[in-house]
Amino acid sequence: MTLLSITRGVQPEHREPRRTNLAPGTRHQAPHSWRPEPRKSIAFFLAFESIHPSLRHALRASLSLFLLACACNRPARAQSIAEAEFALRAGRYDAAIAAFKSLAAVTDAPVAAHRGLLRALGEVGRYDEAEASGRGFVASHPQSAELWNTLGEILVQRGRITEATDAFTSAIAGHASDSVAARLNLAVLRYGRGERESAVRDFDWFIDFYNRGSRLTSAELTAIGTACRYLGLTDPALFKDALKAFDQAIVADSTNLEPRVRLGNLFLEKYNSADARTTFETALLINPRDPEALLGSARVRRFDGQPGADSLARQSLGVNPNYTDAHVFLATLRLEAENLDDASRSAQHALAIDSGSVAALAVLAATHHLRGEDPAFATVRRRALARDPRSAEIYITLAELSARNRFYKKAVGFAREGVSIDSTSTRSYALLGINELRTGAIAAARTHLEKAFAGDPYDVWTKNTLDLLDTFKDYRETRTERFLFVIDGKESALLSLYLGDLAGEAYGKLAARYDYRPATPVRLELYRSHADFSVRTVGLAGLGALGVAFGNVLAMDSPSARETGQFNWGSTFWHELAHTFTLGVTDHRVPRWLSEGLSVLEERRARPGWGAGPSVGFLAAYKAGRLLPVSRLNEGFMTPAYPEQVIFSYYQASLVCEMIERDGGISAIRSMLKGYRDGLTTAEVVKGVLGTDQTALDKKFDRYFRERFSKPLAAIRISAASDSGDATVRRRVTQLDAMRDPGDFVAQLSAGRTLLDEGKTDDAITHLERAKALFPEYAGPNSPYALLARIHTEKGAPRRAADELTRLTELDENAYAANVELAKLLEQLGDSRGSSAALERAIYINPYDIDLHTRLATLYDALGDNRLSLRERRAIVALAPVDMAEAQYQLALAYRKSGDHGNARRSVLEALELAPNFAKAQELLLDLQDNGSKADRRGKPL
């Protein structure tokens, strides 16, 4: 493809290595030759070009707006139009409307004044006024075609497609100055009505139009880019031409936001949120109130899982209350937060503006489907398909929304319907494949993803997922009675040793608690690369989660995917398996807050120290009124208002479950889950099971919270909490400061740390003990327990140090160093069982330390636990130590102690193969053979 003409692209023949940008290859800024700039001094050039490209574009746009506003040498009327246009492009809509109205009221007013008025009214959603003004002009100027296209665009916003078609046709027939835009608008309408062949011919015209070589306006280049984007649906190489045309449109007029918005949306369609974010942010630097750019930024926030998506969408509606797409976006957010009533209302609001909006109808259909309202669902689906029976759009949206609400099998079904109705829909094939992966249909998933990739090699999610599937040849499958573990071959032998026992224990205990047994095998995939786990989950690198449950298919980070101390892979597995139970027992209808809350609660029940605990930031957020009531807790997961709210919501939800079980036992939890399975709403479940309403439940939990954390709440000063939610002190607190406020936890902790650093250990102990008493559950950075253990160790008091570390490891599931040190101290104190327990905890944080396994094997030998000693010797061999012959010899000994002479012989032979002169191994082999011969003789009849 050349840089001088837009071509009918050639499809790539192979997949390139995984990337997270739009095209195969990194997207760069358009070459300078595409952007002729005015002559400037060398000094200005150096200063200007040193600015970040996005800011440079915004500054260039601002300069253009300034020059537009200062068009002093033009006639007065032209100057007034320029000023009105400046106000419109800067987002000063009221001023622009007033100015254009004044200009249009003059006899023989220029068409630009009337067109500007319609555009300004349309930007703020005053469609009735815009239409009336447009029709008034058309009636008084029957020979002019100049306003038909703009009027048609207003009619499209109202969903009046037939009238809009006539308007665009009139603009084209009358050779209006914006007839190129009218031609594009007409082609888009035809495509939306299912007239694909004629629409594609219309879009194809734009490539010829571009290649004529004439000078094109920004609006014309934007139309060309949009046409290429549609053509890219069947010829993906043309997506790159769309990028090129949008870039050129921006260069032609840097204040025209339409190409920026369309470019940003194209990036987001292809899962390139980084470039989408930059594009929308640059647009908002030019016009902070542009409704489409605000919505685009909201979509980026949602895509990235960042707070603020809903507030940006509301800002967009604040400018244009009749912006259908913004109402649909909010409806989608509310549906994802499982707030079906509000989602339905937002979708209905959108349909009141545009009754044919397929996106709004899809969301409305989804609310009916999730409620089990089949007749209403069928009616809405028919409405959506009425405009274009060949469009898979409604099924694509239904599949996406079903997956976002964890109905993965339903998502598979909707994606299949999308494929059946439109066999060219690459998005339907992609969704089918991705959700088949989530339900464990690996082979079928690959087939459909390959088909999706063949149709669109620029879909990064599909491409990344196929690249991930290519690595599965390096994974090893291990089966147990109820599980299938899929683990990288380099660590499968090691991790399966621990997962087998842990998974069996977890399944049994959870089955007893929930009176439910999921179908088996449950598939668990462990990924050595967090990027691979992220791709498995959301198609892109960068996901912050540790694990995910799709039902009977689980995926999570392997312990090697994270730095030691960042997560506990044992508790993560238990958390995700708990989801398998709560999703399964409710047919995936359990609300997110309850499912996550129960999973965190089950972590805490599984092992001392596992699961989340309270932090300074969490309690400070409560005191500041930043925790949500139970009735709105789902919002904390799906539409967080601040970065920490998601993790706070996990722990808060577990406390709600803790309170419910305290008062009603596990039977109350089971009854709630049964209610959701039967299709009840949360309000109905709360009323029927808990005997109260949601407002009363909110108040009850507030009382519970205050009672449970009465002591630390009194000791937390809101201003002391850091952004990370821990007691990381940003100022140096003196001993005098701490003495002035003995009830301030952070002050006591900080003073203790300061005194310890100064070598004043006795004074440090006083403040650290006080901090510990104020907030006994705190196990974050610089925990009093860790600091006191250090002091007692240095003072030669191992028993006291061990006591502090014991409490710390009962609170912090990731305290690897503390567990290792505790094991050492307890062994010195003669507590072999306590020492082995500490090392067991350490394994679920970092299982890769050979010395740890050696110590643990020795401890189990001393305790006479042959089974666990054997496990540790197998783990050492799996870790491929330097002296593998010795490791195999020790493993052979462990097998012999366990009575498994067959495996003992195999292991000792492995040792001798590595070291033929290994005397101890030779002796063991002879002993095993001698014992084997004796056994054979005993078995023979006389």
Side-chain angles (χ1 to χ4, degrees), residues 284-295:
L284 291 171
L285 287 173
I286 300 165
N287 179 358
R289 301 185 68 227
D290 184 80
E292 293 186 57
L294 286 166
L295 181 58

Side-chain angles (χ1 to χ4, degrees), residues 345-367:
R345 278 190 288 270
S346 291
Q348 293 281 15
H349 199 146
L351 291 168
I353 301 162
D354 177 1
S355 61
S357 169
V358 175
L361 288 167
V363 176
L364 184 60
T367 64

Side-chain angles (χ1 to χ4, degrees), residues 497-513:
L497 287 172
Y498 299 93
L499 278 171
D501 288 345
L502 184 68
E505 176 193 350
Y507 189 101
K509 288 184 175 179
L510 293 171
R513 271 181 61 78

Side-chain angles (χ1 to χ4, degrees), residues 556-631:
M556 58 178 276
D557 278 340
S558 152
S560 59
R562 300 272 182 163
E563 293 294 325
T564 298
Q566 287 190 355
F567 92 118
N568 185 301
W569 64 282
S571 71
T572 299
F573 165 74
W574 202 291
H575 177 109
E576 300 307 333
L577 185 63
H579 281 307
T580 299
F581 281 82
T582 56
L583 287 169
V585 76
T586 61
D587 291 335
H588 288 235
R589 294 181 180 277
V590 59
R592 196 173 299 271
W593 71 266
L594 182 57
S595 185
E596 296 295 356
L598 287 171
S599 281
V600 176
L601 180 60
E602 294 301 344
E603 288 182 72
R604 291 205 294 274
R605 289 176 50 82
R607 297 283 190 280
W610 281 12
S615 67
V616 172
F618 176 74
L619 296 179
Y622 172 81
K623 294 188 74 168
R626 302 183 77 199
L627 296 187
L628 292 165
V630 180
S631 57

Side-chain angles (χ1 to χ4, degrees), residues 61 64-71 74 77-101 103 111-121 123 150 218-219 253-258 286-287:
S64 299
L65 286 175
F66 175 76
L67 294 174
L68 186 65
C70 298
R74 299 181 183 181
R77 181 178 291 178
Q79 181 176 340
S80 297
I81 289 176
E83 290 170 351
E85 184 70 22
F86 171 77
L88 175 59
R89 294 194 177 199
R92 293 169 37 228
Y93 297 117
D94 289 343
I97 290 169
F100 280 126
K101 274 187 176 180
L103 289 165
V111 170
H114 292 278
R115 183 181 290 122
L117 177 58
L118 263 66
R119 287 171 48 228
L121 290 169
E123 283 291 299
T150 309
S218 177
D253 182 354
S254 58
T255 69
N256 181 9
L257 294 196
E258 188 173 7
I286 300 165
N287 179 358

